[in-house]
Amino acid sequence: DAKTTQPNSMESNEEEPVHLPCNHSTISGTDYIHWYRQLPSQGPEYVIHGLTSNVNNRMASLAIAEDRKSSTLILHRATLRDAAVYYCILRGRGGADGLTFGKGTHLIIQP
Amino acid sequence: GAGVSQSPSNKVTEKGKDVELRCDPISGHTALYWYRQSLGQGLEFLIYFQGNSAPDKSGLPSDRFSAERTGGSVSTLTIQRTQQEDSAVYLCASSAQGRSYEQYFGPGTRLTVT
């Protein structure tokens, strides 16, 4: 699976939007972009995924650049419960079946 | 519905002993994964089961590690002759299909080898 690059940490205020960036310049045409998050002392939790078009679900939105070399996870109104490590992962048809987690972005929410 | 469950939640063992970790996936999920997470690190893929196909063992770190999945449901990860570097949180995940579908993770088993 292709590599992703994320900032080590980000800080935001409660009730404000949060934009978490991810660069994946070597993405292939069949790679899906997945986002997971891991709250303290818990297993990872699926957030959202997409291929080319922007995606929305109850948890977040995923904005994918036109060239697909970057994407942004958007939390529209952050709460203290959103404090977690957020992982951006590429999954391709020819890749390993297990997810390859990098270091992710540690999101800190200030009250 | 019920999520992925794992047992035990915590396990402390002496170096050299064998341990078994159990995972109950979500009912109906055909794919099951094992990962481990060392302190402050990201997840490391260990092994993947999909239906009746031969498992993908490419992530197992040594031959002391093995896993089984009986009846396409419950899975057991066995670590023989445990070493201190095996100390980690072992996470199990399941998914409805396989590669393209989201994985649902259990709470993990924290293994401490003394």
Side-chain angles (χ1 to χ4, degrees), chain A residues 3 23-27 68-70:
Chain A
K3 185 178 178 180
N23 287 320
H24 29 79
S25 58
T26 59
I27 190 171
R68 302 210 325 125
K69 293 187 176 181
S70 66

Side-chain angles (χ1 to χ4, degrees), chain A residues 26-102:
Chain A
T26 59
I27 190 171
S28 74
T30 56
D31 283 342
Y32 284 80
I33 302 159
H34 285 242
W35 283 82
Y36 282 75
R37 71 180 185 182
Q38 188 171 21
L39 278 66
S41 302
Q42 294 188 26
E45 173 187 31
Y46 167 82
V47 178
I48 199 167
H49 79 280
L51 183 61
T52 55
S53 303
N54 294 344
V55 184
N56 299 296
N57 67 20
R58 63 175 180 81
M59 290 181 69
S61 295
L62 177 60
I64 301 172
E66 198 168 329
D67 63 5
R68 302 210 325 125
K69 293 187 176 181
S70 66
S71 60
T72 303
L73 179 71
I74 303 166
L75 307 179
H76 295 285
R77 194 163 167 268
T79 69
L80 295 177
R81 277 203 71 253
D82 292 322
V85 178
Y86 287 77
Y87 298 97
C88 170
I89 300 160
L90 300 184
R91 303 197 72 203
R93 291 177 188 167
D97 292 300
L99 296 173
T100 301
F101 284 73

Side-chain angles (χ1 to χ4, degrees), chain B residues 52-97:
Chain B
N52 295 321
S53 303
D56 175 1
K57 304 180 182 179
S58 60
L60 294 179
S62 77
D63 58 8
R64 296 187 295 104
F65 288 72
S66 63
E68 289 185 344
R69 188 177 186 194
T70 54
S73 180
V74 172
S75 177
T76 303
L77 177 69
T78 301
I79 308 173
Q80 295 178 311
R81 305 181 302 282
T82 53
Q83 304 294 313
Q84 288 187 330
E85 59 262 31
D86 298 335
S87 296
V89 176
Y90 288 81
L91 289 152
C92 174
S94 70
S95 71
Q97 291 288 339

Side-chain angles (χ1 to χ4, degrees), chain A residues 91 97, chain B residues 30-31 33 48 50 95-103:
Chain A
R91 303 197 72 203
D97 292 300
Chain B
T30 58
Y33 308 77
Y48 161 63
Q50 172 58 53
S95 71
Q97 291 288 339
R99 291 173 177 150
S100 297
Y101 289 76
E102 57 264 35
Q103 296 183 15

Side-chain angles (χ1 to χ4, degrees), chain A residues 9-20 75-80 82-83 105-111:
Chain A
S9 66
M10 289 184 65
E11 201 167 310
S12 182
N13 295 319
E14 197 177 8
E15 299 188 4
E16 289 186 358
V18 180
H19 291 234
L20 297 165
L75 307 179
H76 295 285
R77 194 163 167 268
T79 69
L80 295 177
D82 292 322
T105 297
H106 184 200
L107 177 62
I108 299 164
I109 304 296
Q110 298 289 354

